[in-house]
Amino acid sequence: MAPSSRAVSISLLCLAVISPPTARAQSSDTDVARLVAALLGNTPMITDLQQLTDGFGGRATGSEANRRAVEWAVARFQAAGVDARTEPFTMPGLWLERSATATVRGGALGFAARIAALPFSAGTPPAGSTAPLVDGGRGDSLGFAGLGARAKGAWVLVEQEELKDVDGLFREYAESAQIEARAWRAGALGVAYMGSRPHNLLYRHNMNLGFKNRDHLGVVMERDAAQRALRLLRSGTALTLTAVLDLDRGPAYQSLNVIGEVRGSTRPDEIVVIGAHFDSWDLGSGTLDNGANAMMVLDIARQIKRLGIRPSRTIRFGLWNGEEQGILGSMGYTKTHAAELDKHVMTTSIDIGTGRIIGFFTGGRPEVLPAVERALEPVAGLGPFTQLDIPIVGTDNFDFMLEGVAHLVANQEAANYGPNYHARSDEFGQADQHQMRLNAAILAAMTLRFAEMSVTWSRQSRAEIERLIATTDLRAQMEQFGLWDDWASGLRGRKAP
Ligand SMILES: [Zn+2]
């Protein structure tokens, strides 16, 4: 899946012709080459990633690990001589799992089933919530029709296919929004998803209602136990499920983004952003999602500083918080910096693990495409790159998109991202260290080019954003992630003039 070693060695060869630092107050193609060469070398990026993931572990926003990791990240920027600060934003509530256990019972039979609470699930009393466990089939309308009134007050067990890849992941998200809506309409107590991952791997999968959920319960159950329960149900054994969800929940609070900054030398008020979310879910240590890319962003800043490169525009390095719980940190950034958004030239997000960057999602903005092609010229040897000019929802480009700011999301080979997504297995060892360096080189070259190139596009008006929504599947995507209401209510997005 990685590019051929031949392609890489050719590009390294080209980069060997470098010149000493210059006193010019802008970066040049020589600087791009020097930066790319530096990032392909032995930088602290990998040891940073190990410190972040092994040292702090899963970093759910609101957790102590998250707070300590934020302090560490600021210190890492500063140790590299990069200006860095924290910027507060509001989280609508606290949701953390302390523990989750479950028992399936039927007649004389009883067995423990490992579970994980779905983020934003309600908690249970200390003795747990016990109810009939019923066969909801695939959770489609057929499955709920089969249940009829038996769904009321019950735990509805939903069968799931084994997850193979990122396409399967998107399918799960799309289906779960519908499944949960049906379950609550039918008066179910909770939904118990059969784990879709092999080897009884547990993971977190956000409930569609998000922080708005008050009463509904949701868990994912290890695959083997769920399959056993389903076989028992289908052979006529009545079952109950007792789930004990011990949650740490609380009111709105302040969380922090970490922003590194290299100030522009000649156009400091014009801004280029490269960012990756820094928070993770907590069953694993958040390596593929998204520690690896956060540490890549940090390393790009470090190498720009170390090489004395002076970009014309200001470059901001965003380590966003609160992404997993509703893309809230980057939203906070767009609110805090609302007055500067007209001057944001380009914002890039990276959030699909450590697979090879194969191009960029350009957001349904054809005017941006030629600029992306130009920005990628210095690293053509690490391609090929193909741009997909469609808007996508699910990571930190979201609020930039709704504010009309030009935005990109790195499109990556899925590699091992899907099976480890939000899972216990998302650990340091999953990172493709070699590919991380190649991806860092690609993003660094682009970022520096955007800090220099002449800009032929501008911020979209409210009307243009509305047109984008009307002419693409954006609305469906937003609904799938439970984000449509935020736009419709005016909580998010560019206001009409
Ligand atoms: Zn992510």
Side-chain angles (χ1 to χ4, degrees), residues 23 33 35 62-63 98 165 167 171 238 249 273 301 303 341 372 377 386 392 411 452-453 467 474 481:
L35 180 59
S63 68
R98 290 197 197 94
D165 50 28
D167 287 345
R171 199 164 50 240
R249 301 202 71 171
V273 174
Q303 299 309 324
L341 291 182
V372 175
E377 278 166 6
T386 306
I392 65 160
N411 186 18
E452 301 300 337
M453 71 168 63
R467 199 172 312 131
L474 248 183
F481 283 91

Side-chain angles (χ1 to χ4, degrees), residues 277 289-290 323-324 351 417:
H277 75 83
D289 190 11
N290 191 28
E323 193 272 350
E324 298 292 6
D351 189 16
Y417 185 77

Side-chain angles (χ1 to χ4, degrees), residues 299-354:
D299 202 32
I300 294 169
R302 177 191 287 125
Q303 299 309 324
I304 288 175
K305 195 74 191 173
R306 190 176 72 80
L307 295 171
I309 294 171
R310 301 181 65 196
S312 294
R313 297 191 175 97
T314 292
I315 303 176
R316 288 197 185 137
F317 303 86
L319 304 187
W320 315 122
N321 217 327
E323 193 272 350
E324 298 292 6
Q325 300 180 35
I327 320 180
L328 295 160
S330 47
M331 169 177 128
Y333 175 91
T334 62
K335 304 284 184 203
T336 302
H337 296 277
E340 290 177 322
L341 291 182
D342 285 348
K343 297 269 190 173
H344 276 59
V345 167
M346 184 58 75
T347 62
T348 302
S349 302
I350 178 161
D351 189 16
I352 317 182
T354 59

Side-chain angles (χ1 to χ4, degrees), residues 49 61 64 68 167 232 249 276 297 307 311 324 344 382 384 410 444:
L49 178 61
T61 305
E64 185 56 29
R68 290 193 298 115
D167 287 345
L232 287 164
R249 301 202 71 171
V297 167
L307 295 171
E324 298 292 6
H344 276 59
L382 301 180

Side-chain angles (χ1 to χ4, degrees), residues 406-454:
H407 62 99
L408 305 173
V409 179
N411 186 18
Q412 299 175 254
E413 284 180 349
N416 56 349
Y417 185 77
N420 298 299
Y421 175 80
H422 292 188
R424 177 67 192 87
S425 56
D426 187 6
E427 296 283 353
F428 176 75
Q430 302 286 0
D432 181 340
Q433 299 180 12
H434 174 67
Q435 190 61 52
M436 277 179 69
R437 296 202 182 281
L438 302 179
N439 288 350
I442 293 164
L443 292 165
M446 271 187 102
T447 303
L448 216 47
R449 276 259 172 134
F450 281 127
E452 301 300 337
M453 71 168 63
S454 56

